[in-house]
Amino acid sequence: MYPKSFEQLVGALEALPGVGTKTAQRYAFTLLNKTEKAQELAEALAAIKNLRRCKKCGFLSENDLCEICNDSHRDISTIMVVASDQDLTAVERTGQYHGLYHVLNGTLSSTKGIYPEDLNLETLYERLDGIKEVIIAISPTIDGEMTALYLDKVLKKYPLKITRLAYGLPMGANLDYADDMTITKALIHRQKFEEQ
Ligand SMILES: [Zn+2]
């Protein structure tokens, strides 16, 4: 019914989570009427082609190494393992953590069929030389807990301290949605893995 290029735009928008046909059409019409915004969006979309994963930690980056891995002021004896880019930025936002990160890009899941080889784990094991502490900072959901237990089991083979965030969060809560104070407290009161 609509011109092909318009239908293509609607189709692309519909692929986004939570966007149905009606919403996609509304977005498409908005973009048509706001050409300046549409141009901005087009440029932003073109630029994401340059984004890649940091070779060391797996965080989003425009270069081989991300800004955090490249920062000489970070404590290089501590790695915090997080499930996603959003979780990393949630912790970083608090300004309370100065070590390095490792982004798994997911959690293990028996229901979704996500196994250790699907996560960014191999590069983590390659980084453990000289590391004194690994902080497991994975949201305490069912899949998150399974991932944390798996990591604890594997990391025990290395001579380092394994801690995890002391959640003031209820089970099932998402780290990404926690406020800064909750994350800060959880970081300060992190515990040895075995104690929980
Ligand atoms: Zn990095």
Side-chain angles (χ1 to χ4, degrees), residues 42-96:
E43 280 164 19
L45 288 172
I48 59 173
K49 275 189 297 203
N50 301 327
L51 284 177
R52 59 192 104 164
R53 295 269 158 209
C54 171
K55 279 192 171 150
K56 220 173 185 179
C57 74
F59 184 46
L60 273 184
S61 177
E62 279 166 351
N63 302 299
D64 280 352
L65 290 184
C66 72
E67 283 185 25
I68 295 169
C69 288
N70 256 335
D71 183 351
S72 57
H73 296 99
R74 310 285 305 202
D75 165 15
I76 56 165
S77 70
T78 308
I79 293 179
M80 181 182 287
V81 180
V82 293
S84 68
D85 299 303
Q86 293 98 312
D87 287 351
L88 183 157
T89 51
V91 175
E92 198 57 18
R93 221 170 37 217
T94 67
Q96 299 293 318

Side-chain angles (χ1 to χ4, degrees), residues 32 35-36 49 84 92 102 104-105 122 131 139 161 165 168 184 195:
L32 266 186
T35 42
E36 216 170 273
K49 275 189 297 203
S84 68
E92 198 57 18
H102 197 85
L104 295 181
N105 278 316
E122 280 309 312
I131 298 297
S139 304
K161 188 162 95 178
L165 294 189
T184 301
E195 288 167 7

